[in-house]
Amino acid sequence: MPWTNYHTHSHFSDGSSAPEDYVISAMEKGFPALGFSEHSPVPFENSWSCQPDSAPEYLAEIQRLKETYAGRIQIYMGLEQDYIPFVTRDFDELTKECGLEYCIGSVHFARNPKNQKLWFIDGPRSVFIDGIADIFGGNLEEGIFMYYNQINLMIHSQKPDVIGHLDKVKMHNKGDLFQETDEFYRKAVFRTLDVVKREHSIVEVNTRGWYTGKAEDWYPSDWILEEMFQRKIPITLSSDAHDPSNLDSGFPEVARVLLDIGYREVRIFYDRKWQPAELTGDGIILPQSG
Ligand SMILES: [Zn+2]
Ligand SMILES: [Zn+2]
């Protein structure tokens, strides 16, 4: 049975290969649909986002692939849009300007409004740990609060289709900085789930932390997935692939957990819209077209 994935980075941002290599890999795996979601350009120097001058080429290449492979696989054009208040561009504006079909909203930098400094939670562990001292005066709880608060603001003000790696702030935790059972942490997560529910967002279940070993688990953690299921929050499966071989990495493993929790359905972007598809342990069952 096939899978789908809409969180994909090619060499237009920090992925390993040309977009076409991902399309070929997806077809070999029997995918009915594949989405590209390069990191949106950000207004500061970095090595991982799509550079503004290569964005038109990215859009043109995805359009070419859509046409070349039409009838064999559905290809969709998206972006993983970074949200940093007062820093990044409005999602809607970028979506219209680029003609995107969907957008994943993610927080990789938590901004401390008191000093305007940015805490990079997705870089080296030393940067993460030094940031707690430099940006939040050593107060980790405040940093985590700012991270989740920024996600809440993003959902509320930008309304992305999909919330990217919801609890990525745990990536460098390794169990020795805080416990996910800590009251402050659970409260922050619950507040975010309330906003997700209110805004009808889709949360991605992102396997990258798990299959790369960068985190101890996928995003979000199992206990959050259980809370999401209780709240009937819809999910989509993402591998956050940075290489064509990773398009479905970890999907069978996470699907087993999701089925145990009670999820029977995932959202897929198919026939140009988000729609439910039945989840099984080894793939999804496509909805009837039309
Ligand atoms: Zn990301
Ligand atoms: Zn990503």
Side-chain angles (χ1 to χ4, degrees), residues 7-9 37 39 80 106 108 165 168 206 208 240 242:
H7 194 151
T8 311
H9 300 278
S37 61
H39 290 286
E80 181 180 13
S106 295
H108 302 99
H165 41 67
K168 192 158 210 172
N206 179 320
R208 183 166 174 78
D240 204 344
H242 287 61

Side-chain angles (χ1 to χ4, degrees), residues 19 43 58 71 80 95 111 123 134 173 198 214 222 235 243 261 290:
Y58 162 59
E80 181 180 13
T95 295
R111 178 179 179 271
D134 298 346
N173 183 28
R198 199 163 57 231
K214 276 185 164 186
D222 292 353
I235 53 171
D243 186 87
I261 289 171

